Amino acid sequence: MKTRLIIVLSVLATVTVFIILGFNSTHQNNDEGENVITRCITPVGILNDKGEIQRSNSRWGNSYAGDEWFQDDIYNYFIDKSNHFIEAIYLEAELLGKGILLDSEDRVLQFFQMNFEDKLRGDITAFCNKSGNNDSIYEIVETVDNIETGTKASIIINEEGYLASAVFLLADYEAFEEMDLDLDKVITAQQAMTIVCEEIQENEVPEEGFMRVPEGKYDARLKTFKGVVFWEITFSSVIYDKSGTSFETQFICRVEATTGTVLEIARSL
Amino acid sequence: MGYSTVRAELTTKDVLNSTLQSKKVVHVLTHGAAGVTSCSDGLLYATNIGSVPSLKFAFFETCHSALSPSGGKSTVKTIKDNGASASLGFQGTISASSSSNGCHYYVVCFYGNAMEGKTVYISAVNALNELYAYSGGYYGCNSYMVYGTSTTIN
């Protein structure tokens, strides 16, 4: 309990600082109806008192940014070797509705900033969707010159405004800088879409069939994950076989941003 | 989790219905739409799902299993209302590019959490972030809908 209180108070104290400072943010809705928040950030330290580290976290292997965790009465906290806070997950079912209060978009962004402390070097953009349970699911990414660095988080806030689960991924900034990537070196979203459609037509559509994308509509977002920069293209399609029978499928595809290599084609169930 | 398991493929509507009525935990992987589950012999409409008082939890890993058709109830809402302790589905489309990634990875994470004694709700939210940490995306699983949130199934 003592550890929990310290952490919660630490969070609240830092949140208070942010409220006093007041940050300007811009809000807009993108084509998918997501609430998008973009702002410049100022790093702030947090979680200096993290309590006793329990044991090494080997659960996630290489896919995970951190390797140690500690816990209090409410959450498991996962941290990396630099004490950056990368995940908080609930321990107990009966504690729903308690824990870290993140009842506004600003507080969620502050939570992101606090966890990455002095690591951040770019701008932050947040994408928010609602689950069926009306949880707010924030995907928060850091960008430099409009390209994601790979530092990002997924933070889920329950309907009452309390943290339900969070995961934080820290970029390999050295590798990111070595890429020396700017938008001039990146293929366009339309080029990525064309590449994906050709790939699907060749490998996913029945022989003598074809695919139609209604109104040619698609969503595209330039993303970075595990050091790879790629276009994520999402669109609905109707696929016809040679008899004219059709079925609808949604695709989520990834295309490497400079070479145009198709990394993944995921189709809906 | 202390259960013996039975796996059925190309399941018919009758088999799925009787399985929901006789088993404790049922996981369904197939195509779906609002109020509809695809079976080997046609579509199982939510309105045709019978009473399931002995069912503790059903997970419909299909598109739109938590989406209500016009004037009706979704598949997983019907399951809960028909007597199950808990159910989980998705309001939107879910996707994968292999048998082990995307929404299928979400499922693995969900049951991993559930085996640890977490509730179906907490298992659902944690699984989403585990999927995100693994793949950098949600694959539509962020449209999850959990009924009977405080239920545990281990």
Side-chain angles (χ1 to χ4, degrees):
Chain A
M1 178 62 80
K2 183 180 178 184
T3 308
R4 177 177 68 85
L5 287 174
I6 290 170
I7 290 168
V8 171
L9 289 173
S10 178
V11 170
L12 291 176
T14 312
V15 165
T16 304
V17 169
F18 272 93
I19 291 170
I20 293 169
L21 290 175
F23 280 83
N24 292 324
S25 61
T26 57
H27 295 249
Q28 63 185 68
N29 290 323
N30 67 5
D31 292 342
E32 295 176 310
E34 294 174 315
N35 186 23
V36 181
I37 311 146
T38 305
R39 66 166 59 204
C40 296
I41 57 93
T42 302
V44 170
I46 195 178
L47 291 177
N48 295 319
D49 187 347
K50 61 185 183 304
E52 182 184 358
I53 294 173
Q54 301 293 316
R55 64 171 169 76
S56 175
N57 169 39
S58 58
R59 188 174 178 186
W60 308 113
N62 294 332
S63 70
Y64 206 64
D67 56 5
E68 293 178 324
W69 65 272
F70 63 103
Q71 69 180 52
D72 57 28
D73 292 346
I74 300 182
Y75 301 102
N76 268 350
Y77 301 89
F78 292 87
I79 57 176
D80 69 8
K81 286 186 169 66
S82 305
N83 289 343
H84 292 106
F85 184 21
I86 55 175
E87 186 181 21
I89 60 173
Y90 263 120
L91 288 171
E92 302 294 341
E94 61 267 27
L95 290 171
L96 271 174
K98 300 177 183 176
I100 298 174
L101 182 64
L102 296 170
D103 57 352
S104 70
E105 292 166 345
D106 281 352
R107 289 195 181 195
V108 174
L109 290 171
Q110 289 154 9
F111 189 55
F112 179 87
Q113 293 169 326
M114 288 185 286
N115 292 328
F116 283 117
E117 297 181 304
D118 57 341
K119 294 286 184 183
L120 294 171
R121 59 189 66 187
D123 296 332
I124 292 176
T125 300
F127 303 87
C128 184
N129 279 302
K130 293 284 187 180
S131 75
N133 290 84
N134 209 30
D135 299 327
S136 297
I137 300 169
Y138 289 91
E139 183 185 9
I140 303 175
V141 301
E142 180 198 35
T143 58
V144 172
D145 296 333
N146 296 312
I147 294 177
E148 289 186 7
T149 62
T151 288
K152 52 180 58 182
S154 174
I155 301 173
I156 304 174
I157 313 300
N158 70 18
E159 196 171 16
E160 289 74 37
Y162 288 91
L163 174 65
S165 182
V167 64
F168 297 84
L169 304 174
L170 185 63
D172 180 346
Y173 286 109
E174 192 174 333
F176 179 75
E177 287 176 353
E178 282 178 5
M179 280 196 293
D180 191 26
L181 198 60
D182 61 47
L183 289 179
D184 290 340
K185 300 171 184 172
V186 171
I187 63 172
T188 65
Q190 183 59 53
Q191 286 174 317
M193 176 64 176
T194 301
I195 291 168
V196 158
C197 287
E198 289 173 354
E199 178 80 10
I200 291 172
Q201 180 66 42
E202 188 171 331
N203 296 315
E204 304 277 335
V205 174
E207 197 174 344
E208 298 181 44
F210 65 95
M211 177 181 72
R212 186 174 65 85
V213 179
E215 301 176 24
K217 289 180 65 176
Y218 65 93
D219 294 312
R221 192 177 132 199
L222 194 59
K223 300 176 77 170
T224 300
F225 184 66
K226 293 182 180 174
V228 179
V229 182
F230 56 89
W231 282 106
E232 185 170 275
I233 309 281
T234 304
F235 61 96
S236 295
S237 70
V238 183
I239 294 178
Y240 297 82
D241 64 17
K242 62 182 180 183
S243 71
T245 304
S246 65
F247 55 92
E248 291 184 22
T249 301
Q250 186 184 69
F251 287 100
I252 300 175
C253 306
R254 291 181 174 183
V255 180
E256 206 279 334
T258 55
T259 64
T261 303
V262 176
L263 303 173
E264 182 176 19
I265 295 177
R267 59 192 301 170
S268 57
L269 299 186
Chain B
M1 299 173 77
Y3 300 106
S4 58
T5 58
V6 178
R7 179 187 173 102
E9 296 184 15
L10 298 174
T11 309
T12 64
K13 290 180 282 185
D14 286 346
V15 168
L16 178 53
N17 231 332
S18 64
T19 301
L20 291 167
Q21 290 167 24
S22 61
K23 303 300 182 187
K24 293 287 187 190
V25 176
V26 177
H27 185 92
V28 180
L29 168 58
T30 184
H31 298 291
V36 168
T37 304
S38 179
C39 296
S40 63
D41 60 345
L43 301 177
L44 176 62
Y45 287 85
T47 49
N48 293 330
I49 294 174
S51 177
V52 291
S54 63
L55 182 62
K56 196 166 189 181
F57 175 67
F59 188 155
F60 276 70
E61 187 189 356
T62 81
C63 293
H64 303 305
S65 52
L67 186 65
S68 300
S70 178
K73 288 192 288 191
S74 72
T75 298
V76 290
K77 177 74 163 66
T78 301
I79 294 284
K80 180 68 171 70
D81 288 350
N82 287 9
S85 301
S87 59
L88 170 57
F90 302 97
Q91 291 190 328
T93 57
I94 55 173
S95 59
S97 61
S98 78
S99 60
S100 60
N101 70 11
C103 58
H104 308 314
Y105 189 82
Y106 177 87
V107 168
V108 171
C109 296
F110 172 84
Y111 286 110
N113 277 273
M115 285 172 64
E116 294 173 358
K118 297 186 175 72
T119 66
V120 291
Y121 170 74
I122 292 173
S123 298
V125 296
N126 285 345
L128 188 69
N129 278 343
E130 291 169 20
L131 171 63
Y132 187 82
Y134 175 74
S135 65
Y138 298 123
Y139 295 85
C141 297
N142 52 350
S143 66
Y144 64 80
M145 177 81 214
V146 182
Y147 292 99
T149 52
S150 60
T151 302
T152 56
I153 60 175
N154 65 338

